[in-house]
Amino acid sequence: QVQLVESGGGLVQAGGSLTLSCAASVHTFSIYHTAWFRQAPGKDREFVGAISWTGGRTSYGDSVKGRFTISIDNAANTVYLQMNNLKPEDTASYYCAAGSFISERPSDYDNWGQGTQVTVSS
């Protein structure tokens, strides 16, 4: 029943920045926690980070910690993924997901967006 739509992907040079948005159906982020995952072709879906619906707790994967920041605007019903100092290995389709608790496992999330492509050139 939760609808999620990612946006903001694109092509960026290494070292650049990009911010992704995950817009949800009304009241979603007062009920669910949100996670970001990414997946490159032929690769497993990788945990990027997650945020509680209050914004009080965040968690990040080791590969992005210190470079990526997740934030939430409950009034706007939107979660953001700010990506700084992008590297070619960050190239992937990025997905947001909503679930009842914060997890690094994709299978723990029932609600997914369609993804937005991020390509980082070297």
Side-chain angles (χ1 to χ4, degrees):
Q1 291 183 291
V2 177
Q3 293 180 301
L4 303 172
V5 180
E6 302 96 336
S7 62
L11 176 65
V12 63
Q13 291 184 339
S17 298
L18 202 62
T19 299
L20 306 182
S21 299
C22 176
S25 53
V26 294
H27 303 132
T28 296
F29 301 130
S30 66
I31 301 171
Y32 296 96
H33 306 294
T34 304
W36 286 93
F37 292 84
R38 65 187 184 185
Q39 187 169 25
K43 303 292 184 180
D44 292 334
R45 191 159 293 193
E46 178 187 14
F47 176 75
V48 175
I51 189 168
S52 62
W53 67 265
T54 64
R57 291 189 177 92
T58 56
S59 180
Y60 299 95
D62 290 341
S63 63
V64 306
K65 191 173 184 178
R67 298 188 297 121
F68 291 9
T69 302
I70 298 175
S71 61
I72 186 169
D73 185 343
N74 287 105
N77 216 28
T78 302
V79 170
Y80 303 94
L81 178 66
Q82 181 182 341
M83 304 182 292
N84 297 324
N85 192 25
L86 284 161
K87 305 177 185 298
E89 55 262 40
D90 295 319
T91 296
S93 292
Y94 283 71
Y95 301 85
C96 63
S100 59
F101 61 96
I102 294 177
S103 173
E104 297 182 5
R105 298 172 57 202
S107 61
D108 286 332
Y109 295 87
D110 295 323
N111 305 285
W112 293 85
Q114 295 300 305
T116 185
Q117 177 68 33
V118 173
T119 301
V120 184
S121 61
S122 60

